[in-house]
Amino acid sequence: MLLAHYATLLSRFTQSSLPLIFLALAAFAVAQSSIDLDWVPFDREQFNGNVALDEKGNVQLFWKTANESSTFGVASRSSGYLALGFSETGAMTGADMAVGYKDQDDNFVFENRHAMGFVTPQVSPDQKNNMQLQEGHQADGVTAFIFEKQNKADCLQTQADVAKDAWQWFIYAISDENTFAQHTPGNMGKEYVKLGTGKSVSLNQIRDIDDTKNFTIVQPEVTIPTAVTTYCYSLHKMPAGDKNYLLGERPNESSELLHHLVLYACYGLPDEYKDMVGKEPNCDYEAFSNPCNGFVTEWAPGMTGRTFEPGYGKPFGTEQYEYVMLETHYNNPERLEGVKDTASYTFIYTDKPVDTEIGTLTLGDLQVEGWFLEPGKLLVAHSTVCTPECTDRWPSDGITAVSVFHHMHYRGRNARVQIIRDGKEITPLSSLRDFEYGYQFSKSLDSVKLLPGDKLITTCEYDTSNDTEPVPGGLPSEDEMCFAWVDYYPANSVLACTQVDLGNSAENEINGTAALCLESSAASPDVYNSPFLTASFQNLSASGNTCPVENTTSGVSNQAAVLNTCPETDVCFSLNVPQRSASSGSGDIYFQLSAPVTYSWVALAQGTMMSNANMFLMYSSADGKNVTLSPRTASGHMMPTHNEATDVSLLDGSGIFNDRMTANVRCGNCDSWDTGTMSLQDSNSNWLYAHSQGSPINSDDRNAPILQHDGEGGFQWDLSRATGGSDTNPFTDAATITTTTSPSAAEGQHSWARLSTQTQMRFVQAHGALASLAFVAIFPLGAILVRLTSFRGLVWTHGGLQVFGYAVFVAAAGLGIFIANGVAYLQEPHAIIGMILLGIFFFMPFIGIIHHKVYKKVQQRTLWSYGHIFTGRIGVILGMINGGLGLQLAHARRSYVIVYGVFAGLIGVVYIGAIVFGECKRARRSSQNAAASSSVYPESKRLKRDDSGSGSGASQETTI
Ligand SMILES: *[C@@H]1O[C@H](CO)[C@@H](O)[C@H](O)[C@H]1NC(C)=O
Ligand SMILES: *[C@@H]1O[C@H](CO)[C@@H](O)[C@H](O)[C@H]1NC(C)=O
Ligand SMILES: *[C@@H]1O[C@H](CO)[C@@H](O)[C@H](O)[C@H]1NC(C)=O
Ligand SMILES: *[C@@H]1O[C@H](CO)[C@@H](O)[C@H](O)[C@H]1NC(C)=O
């Protein structure tokens, strides 16, 4: 009595002061948030939504959605890159990402990237349509940016659609480093966010609800068997009452071996099962037949709790069902012994009426076994149809779907439920891309209306590329499943709507495929023939796109990105790396060579040097109508020979058309070859090309002899910009997106690549000629003079000559560095030796002068002398040898090599001869001097005598 009184008082008080309390709370919240968010460097007023993506509130997301495009702002209390992803499931896989960071020059860089899996997201081929940066900040330990995103991403598979009014998974990664790399644990997270204002019923979150009760279903402890797959069943009685309502669900901690659990509602449970309550679970799943087929809920990896919005609840009780069957699936691949589990699940419920009763409809393949998936396919679809005869049993106003739970096993990739109304497909109920087994969730829907007579097609798509045998549907986790459980209101008696395969048997009333409709009021499902099972919508092509229905027939969702480069105006190369190859690091890549028939052959090669490159030659075939593709490798300076190990094929679209040769090529093992490798994700992959103009080769022989090239070069390709599409010939597909990179835009080789091959050739020749002049002529001459001649001013002649030689060398080295930079040869021994010599020789004149001064004083070689003399000798000989390395690197003509070899050899011999001769002469004289000085001059006087500067200066100097 007293309690009731208090309750009334309390409720009066709360009613009258509720607006006040609310206002106060709101003001507090506003004040709180504005204080808390003062660190956000952009104008927050422009947005109409905000949520913290992490628990501490250090990563804040802001948004303003509109019809065509929406604006997002993201700010993080970190001082490195900040990545925000639009994800389908909360996983990285398939996420469309906005990445902001500062580069070395302190510029704010914004990139649209795409994550193909749990790997570094790749730069999207589209950097301008999908996302655009509006402002970027990085200062004082905060990184933030605002960007605009198109709501509809043109069906480009690597980009996400964002609905104006819907739930969206956001993922983020932050760092204190600006180098975009793998995030460290803890610096990432996911959040399911409701954009816009639309009504939502089922929330993937745990929220307290006042004035409610709760109960926990506990499976009595089991020792998980050592079998890989175990299903256990335990029966539980729900809280008593005619009508109660589930308001929320909270999964509890379980063994890691728990693969999933399902709670089935038992409508009209036969009495013989009821004594299972309180007993040990029945884990003899192959013998046990579960009599319960309503659906209450499921837990699978990735799931958190759920709460319905106020006013909604799922009915249970004597009017519905009183018992539930808990099914636990244990997956014990390592066959661990003695692991115990007490799986449990807590429900929040009320016995007070709710405004709206929620029901669950099971779609997908209830017939868990008896179907198979084709092995070895990137995407293979499995569909089931829910026919209009069953949906006709809904109330005449239809039902409103509020959430859907898609369930598959490890091979699952995409899932969807399509709606066919009056024979036409309308916007799907749900379409989930990039399913991840570990990230399952109840997908919130924006209240999708379904009408009686609708036909629903539930499709699951799987990746069976690792399988060699047909993959069965089945209970074990290594088999597959396909379910879609739809929560909707108002609840009605239809529990499941799908199809079954009855096989052929004499006892059958229906043979083959039949429709199935299960109602809570019926003891067994209705199975019937339906004309709708064979509708053309059933066998959907495996695609997984999210394009509007109008576009689903064209294959545009599988757009391949192709990079195109024309290093010479008429010689062009293109490349595509299929999505799958890029993410797995191996597999097919596609490239194209194209050139006029005025070239006798054209080659594209992977690598930095022809001598270790993976080469592909194209020349005209015997009939002159097609091209011959010849994979080759070159050893040393030999003509490249056919390499049998390369897995290549010539594709459609190859041939000679309009006086142009085109080779469309698939290569299955271009990630590595005998002498090198190429990462299929390399953003600076090195490529070479070569060609020779002349008459057609007209041969089908892949080892046909070819003439020396008359032009060659190198360029880099950012493979991430060539990534995308399915594993098919991208050059004959109209949907392919081609990005043309002029070689001048390629990094690190700006000016070099802009030059014509002829000019490049001249640069290389000039470099060679100047360096040869320095090392094979001037430097040796200067040194030989000193050894063999003697005249007044010899020292200065020597010095002048060598300084002149150094100037010539500087010119040669300048050219060399320019060339090496352009063709990515800076790491080559030739370049390194050259640069070391350039550095060391710089000091030679100074050391030379010191040596000369000191020598004049002490009349004897000092450390300075040896430094000068031996550095010179070793340096000059090294330089001569380096010339040879350079010729090798340039694949110089044989005649050049011979001329250089002979000349350098000759000079080398004369030079060494002069050194030997000079040293002998010196040794003779210094032994005479030594005899003289030791007998005539005491040690202490020698210094003085040297000061005189008299004597035959010239002859002294020759002993340097
Ligand atoms: C369930 O109810 C008990 C007692 O009413 C309460 O202590 C407990 O916190 C509740 N559990 C949940 C998950 O709400
Ligand atoms: C196929 O095998 C690879 C390597 O074992 C694995 O990473 C990948 O997840 C597998 N794919 C599927 C669909 O199971
Ligand atoms: C089903 O197929 C079996 C065997 O092919 C046949 O004997 C039986 O008559 C068929 N039943 C119907 C209803 O067509
Ligand atoms: C050239 O050969 C390839 C591979 O056999 C083929 O696909 C293509 O159609 C041929 N082109 C012409 C013009 O015959």
Side-chain angles (χ1 to χ4, degrees):
M1 211 36 220
L2 197 66
L3 213 64
H5 181 66
Y6 275 129
T8 323
L9 264 184
L10 196 67
S11 86
R12 273 205 200 127
F13 169 77
T14 32
Q15 264 164 32
S16 59
S17 50
L18 202 65
L20 269 179
I21 293 175
F22 182 77
L23 267 178
L25 276 176
F28 177 72
V30 167
Q32 195 67 16
S33 70
S34 66
I35 290 167
D36 280 348
L37 294 180
D38 274 350
W39 56 272
V40 174
F42 48 69
D43 170 26
R44 311 195 301 272
E45 299 291 310
Q46 61 184 302
F47 299 104
N48 52 24
N50 164 234
V51 72
L53 295 180
D54 66 332
E55 270 175 25
K56 290 185 192 144
N58 287 337
V59 185
Q60 295 284 340
L61 174 72
F62 299 83
W63 65 86
K64 181 177 185 172
T65 57
N67 289 336
E68 296 293 316
S69 64
S70 303
T71 312
F72 296 91
V74 61
S76 158
R77 287 177 129 145
S78 56
S79 47
Y81 74 78
L82 168 60
L84 177 75
F86 298 79
S87 157
E88 284 271 298
T89 63
M92 268 178 81
T93 314
D96 187 6
M97 310 198 68
V99 181
Y101 59 89
K102 274 209 169 163
D103 69 8
Q104 289 112 322
D105 303 330
D106 219 32
N107 298 318
F108 195 88
V109 181
F110 178 78
E111 290 169 338
N112 184 191
R113 285 181 175 253
H114 172 247
M116 285 173 287
F118 293 91
V119 294
T120 306
Q122 299 294 299
V123 177
S124 170
D126 164 30
Q127 290 295 320
K128 70 172 194 272
N129 301 320
N130 180 34
M131 292 179 181
Q132 281 148 354
L133 181 72
Q134 288 187 347
E135 53 181 279
H137 307 261
Q138 189 176 82
D140 310 324
V142 170
T143 304
F145 56 87
I146 298 179
F147 64 99
E148 193 180 333
K149 171 161 170 42
Q150 295 303 311
N151 292 354
K152 280 253 171 291
D154 285 340
C155 307
L156 189 60
Q157 199 180 26
T158 55
Q159 296 175 338
D161 289 347
V162 186
K164 185 180 152 203
D165 235 359
W167 285 86
Q168 174 67 52
W169 277 107
F170 285 95
I171 58 172
Y172 71 88
I174 57 172
S175 175
D176 282 328
E177 302 290 327
N178 268 315
T179 319
F180 188 65
Q182 184 160 13
H183 45 73
T184 45
N187 283 350
M188 54 167 293
K190 59 171 187 174
E191 191 67 40
Y192 204 35
V193 176
K194 173 95 183 70
L195 299 175
T197 54
K199 200 172 171 190
S200 145
V201 172
S202 166
L203 304 182
N204 278 277
Q205 68 181 36
I206 292 173
R207 179 162 48 77
D208 288 335
I209 318 169
D210 294 339
D211 198 17
T212 54
K213 307 180 199 180
N214 68 57
F215 70 97
T216 300
I217 282 169
V218 182
Q219 171 189 269
E221 188 179 76
V222 288
T223 302
I224 300 167
T226 52
V228 175
T229 301
T230 304
Y231 277 75
C232 296
Y233 295 87
S234 54
L235 192 70
H236 305 265
K237 197 159 196 302
M238 297 290 276
D242 287 347
K243 209 156 190 182
N244 295 303
Y245 295 93
L246 298 176
L247 304 177
E249 7 181 295
R250 316 279 182 258
N252 300 317
E253 192 101 350
S254 264
S255 160
E256 301 235 313
L257 302 185
L258 184 66
H259 173 279
H260 74 248
L261 67 76
V262 181
L263 202 64
Y264 295 97
C266 309
Y267 291 91
L269 184 71
D271 282 343
E272 71 255 32
Y273 286 97
K274 289 183 181 158
D275 57 351
M276 270 181 82
V277 173
K279 298 263 169 61
E280 268 181 26
N282 183 341
C283 298
D284 184 9
Y285 72 97
E286 292 185 57
F288 181 74
S289 162
N290 177 11
C292 311
N293 41 25
F295 179 86
V296 183
T297 196
E298 180 190 74
W299 174 88
M303 290 207 67
T304 56
R306 270 209 298 171
T307 312
F308 290 125
E309 285 286 358
Y312 295 85
K314 263 189 194 180
F316 69 92
T318 44
E319 287 180 20
Q320 310 276 324
Y321 59 92
E322 293 174 86
Y323 293 88
V324 287
M325 185 71 79
L326 174 62
E327 173 191 272
T328 48
H329 174 184
Y330 295 102
N331 185 35
N332 191 358
E334 288 165 40
R335 296 174 177 276
L336 302 175
E337 267 180 59
V339 182
K340 293 188 168 32
D341 188 42
T342 334
S344 70
Y345 212 88
T346 300
F347 289 92
I348 313 294
Y349 78 104
T350 180
D351 53 10
K352 307 217 166 55
V354 297
D355 298 337
T356 310
E357 296 185 356
I358 303 252
T360 304
L361 174 69
T362 300
L363 299 174
D365 212 330
L366 271 178
Q367 198 176 23
V368 170
E369 282 167 8
W371 50 277
F372 294 88
L373 299 171
E374 193 185 337
K377 292 276 174 197
L378 269 180
L379 275 184
V380 48
H382 179 68
S383 299
T384 46
V385 175
C386 158
T387 66
E389 295 92 335
C390 191
T391 60
D392 262 337
R393 302 178 195 186
W394 289 339
S396 56
D397 282 353
I399 61 171
T400 303
V402 297
S403 66
V404 59
F405 187 103
H406 291 285
H407 179 66
M408 298 179 271
H409 288 174
Y410 301 122
R411 297 174 190 81
R413 285 294 170 269
N414 306 304
R416 59 182 173 270
V417 177
Q418 288 160 290
I419 308 170
I420 316 298
R421 182 169 298 165
D422 303 325
K424 285 208 190 72
E425 183 176 0
I426 59 168
T427 305
L429 174 89
S430 166
S431 175
L432 181 77
R433 294 189 297 171
D434 304 302
F435 174 87
E436 276 288 344
Y437 183 77
Y439 287 76
Q440 298 180 54
F441 69 110
S442 173
K443 184 178 156 100
S444 298
L445 301 175
D446 200 12
S447 298
V448 180
K449 189 86 191 159
L450 295 171
L451 295 179
D454 280 352
K455 170 169 134 174
L456 306 177
I457 306 171
T458 304
T459 301
C460 295
E461 287 178 343
Y462 307 87
D463 176 353
T464 62
S465 51
N466 283 352
D467 296 291
T468 48
E469 300 292 317
V471 179
L475 294 173
S477 44
E478 60 269 24
D479 295 351
E480 277 304 331
M481 280 193 179
C482 179
F483 277 109
W485 285 291
V486 180
D487 275 358
Y488 67 89
Y489 64 83
N492 63 65
S493 65
V494 179
L495 298 180
C497 179
T498 182
Q499 66 182 57
V500 285
D501 184 1
L502 301 170
N504 286 356
S505 134
E507 291 100 68
N508 276 4
E509 277 177 38
I510 306 169
N511 277 337
T513 308
L516 179 148
C517 192
L518 175 67
E519 286 190 80
S520 56
S521 48
S524 60
D526 239 359
V527 176
Y528 52 92
N529 266 318
S530 168
F532 299 98
L533 285 172
T534 53
S536 57
F537 293 100
Q538 187 180 353
N539 295 314
L540 294 157
S541 62
S543 68
N545 63 69
T546 54
C547 297
V549 171
E550 310 85 79
N551 293 348
T552 46
T553 46
S554 64
V556 284
S557 60
N558 275 334
Q559 268 160 320
V562 168
L563 266 184
N564 175 263
T565 295
C566 302
E568 322 247 314
T569 40
D570 51 1
V571 178
C572 295
F573 304 103
S574 300
L575 176 79
N576 165 250
V577 181
Q579 201 96 34
R580 186 182 151 69
S581 307
S583 40
S584 68
S586 63
D588 291 339
I589 64 168
Y590 294 88
F591 53 84
Q592 183 185 68
L593 293 76
S594 151
V597 287
T598 49
Y599 287 87
S600 124
W601 60 266
V602 171
L604 176 68
Q606 298 173 280
T608 51
M609 285 184 292
M610 281 293 177
S611 54
N612 60 17
N614 201 23
M615 233 178 270
F616 303 90
L617 259 75
M618 166 180 78
Y619 41 85
S620 55
S621 62
D623 63 6
K625 289 184 178 140
N626 212 329
V627 293
T628 298
L629 176 78
S630 166
R632 298 195 179 197
T633 43
S635 50
H637 295 288
M638 312 294 284
M639 185 186 80
T641 50
H642 178 215
N643 177 8
E644 307 260 353
T646 316
D647 166 23
V648 284
S649 46
L650 196 61
L651 307 174
D652 245 26
S654 305
I656 298 177
F657 317 101
N658 303 326
D659 291 335
R660 262 190 99 76
M661 298 187 279
T662 299
N664 291 336
V665 185
R666 178 203 62 84
C667 176
N669 59 359
C670 276
D671 53 314
S672 80
W673 57 98
D674 258 6
T675 49
T677 59
M678 176 176 286
S679 156
L680 300 186
Q681 298 183 348
D682 195 345
S683 49
N684 294 305
S685 66
N686 288 303
W687 296 77
L688 299 165
Y689 67 91
H691 51 67
S692 178
Q693 280 165 322
S695 48
I697 291 179
N698 285 358
S699 167
D700 288 343
D701 179 5
R702 297 214 264 180
N703 230 341
I706 54 163
L707 289 174
Q708 174 88 36
H709 57 76
D710 58 13
E712 65 164 326
F715 58 89
Q716 291 188 328
W717 261 334
D718 176 355
L719 297 191
S720 67
R721 298 175 67 195
T723 297
S726 52
D727 202 337
T728 53
N729 182 354
F731 306 112
T732 51
D733 187 348
T736 295
I737 305 170
T738 303
T739 318
T740 300
T741 60
S742 59
S744 57
E747 277 161 73
Q749 46 170 1
H750 305 263
S751 20
W752 173 256
R754 231 176 277 145
L755 302 174
S756 72
T757 322
Q758 275 75 12
T759 314
Q760 289 178 350
M761 218 42 190
R762 272 183 217 123
F763 270 82
V764 174
Q765 284 166 350
H767 162 74
L770 287 173
S772 305
L773 185 66
F775 279 95
V776 182
I778 305 172
F779 288 146
L781 183 70
I784 291 167
L785 272 183
V786 165
R787 288 290 136 233
L788 298 188
T789 66
S790 130
F791 55 88
R792 189 156 284 280
L794 171 60
V795 170
W796 302 112
T797 310
H798 167 77
L801 211 52
Q802 303 306 63
V803 167
F804 173 62
Y806 186 70
V808 172
F809 178 31
V810 166
L815 280 173
I817 290 169
F818 174 65
I819 296 163
N821 208 24
V823 298
Y825 273 1
L826 280 171
Q827 308 293 326
E828 293 298 324
H830 172 75
I832 293 170
I833 294 173
M835 285 187 287
I836 291 173
L837 289 177
L838 186 70
I840 290 176
F841 276 18
F842 174 78
F843 298 100
M844 285 296 274
F846 308 108
I847 302 173
I849 287 166
I850 297 171
H851 145 69
H852 179 62
K853 290 255 155 80
V854 175
Y855 188 88
K856 270 172 74 181
K857 277 190 192 143
V858 302
Q859 279 302 313
Q860 154 174 20
R861 282 183 180 173
T862 59
L863 217 55
W864 294 108
S865 322
Y866 290 113
H868 182 73
I869 293 166
F870 284 98
T871 309
R873 286 175 189 169
I874 294 169
V876 168
I877 296 193
L878 203 59
M880 287 178 175
I881 296 170
N882 204 32
L885 289 180
L887 285 166
Q888 186 179 0
L889 200 57
H891 308 282
R893 295 219 174 112
R894 235 183 134 64
S895 49
Y896 287 4
V897 178
I898 293 170
V899 169
Y900 180 82
V902 168
F903 203 65
L906 219 66
I907 300 285
V909 166
V910 173
Y911 181 44
I912 293 169
I915 292 170
V916 173
F917 178 78
E919 289 297 324
C920 291
K921 210 167 87 183
R922 198 188 104 83
R924 271 200 312 279
R925 204 184 27 251
S926 72
S927 64
Q928 287 164 6
N929 278 356
S933 66
S934 65
S935 58
V936 179
Y937 302 103
E939 284 291 324
S940 56
K941 296 255 171 102
R942 280 177 65 190
L943 265 174
K944 271 191 184 140
R945 192 201 85 107
D946 296 340
D947 274 341
S948 67
S950 61
S952 60
S955 74
Q956 270 176 29
E957 278 170 328
T958 55
T959 63
I960 301 171

